Amino acid sequence: MRLLCTNDDGIDAIGLSRLVEAATPLGEITVVAPDREQSATSHSLTLHHPIRPISRGERRFQVDGTPTDCVMLAVEALMPERPDFVLSGINHGQNMGEDVLYSGTVAAAMEGLSLGIPSLAFSFAGGDLRADVSMLGDQIDVLRDLLKRVLALAPFPVDTLLNINIPPLRGADIKGVRLTRLGRRVYSDSLTPMQDPWGRQIYWIGGGSIAWTGEENSDFRAVQEGYISITPLHLDLTHHAMLESSESWWPQL
Ligand code: MN
């Protein structure tokens, strides 16, 4: 089995090395990942300058581009054969609710899916991964077991990527796996006004506090309660319920 591993935190990120560690016994790993952090780059493509893969060892490349660039380059140029799965992550931080719209980690899996390859995105739902390194190391066995079961799914769900969030717990304390839907995230104070060195007004996006809302079966609730959350996502943004109720509004247009 050929597995393509990528991420959005950069090729030297701890999360990626833990993902590779968990996946190594399951297949032949190729790593194609950004040369620096590309978090929150979403599904962006580099169009205005060329991208250059640099070898970092056997089947290991860093690319001066986005996670989406990496998947496209890996599948269409660097790998002699197409991968059976794209594995993205493990992201340093959660990707739940609306996070999936900004996430480079999830976008890499979306790119895999749009190239017709079953894809999974993994995120560690802890605050700062650097502070929780030992915890992620402790989760390798749980992760490998999950990967083994997911990669053996036959058939793998069609037109679906799996967005997986791992709770910040020791492997033995993880209660199990839940199938979930996206919750809703409420950020507050995420825009900090400040002044540049010349006294002009600037703003810094980020920080603040995050609150969550969501039903019993939401991703954040699963993680909060100590479960690995698996949310099936698809790329079709069509609002199907709205289409179905079109008799009530379409005739008025
Ligand atoms: Mn990231």
Side-chain angles (χ1 to χ4, degrees), residues 124 129 131-140 167-171:
F124 178 78
L129 186 59
D132 292 334
V133 172
S134 64
M135 195 177 289
L136 195 57
D138 194 66
Q139 295 178 338
I140 294 285
L169 296 172
R170 300 250 153 230

Side-chain angles (χ1 to χ4, degrees), residues 7-9 37-40 91-93 95 103-105:
N7 74 346
D8 79 354
D9 296 316
E37 179 165 354
Q38 295 280 350
S39 294
N91 188 58
H92 296 191
N95 276 309
S103 166
T105 306

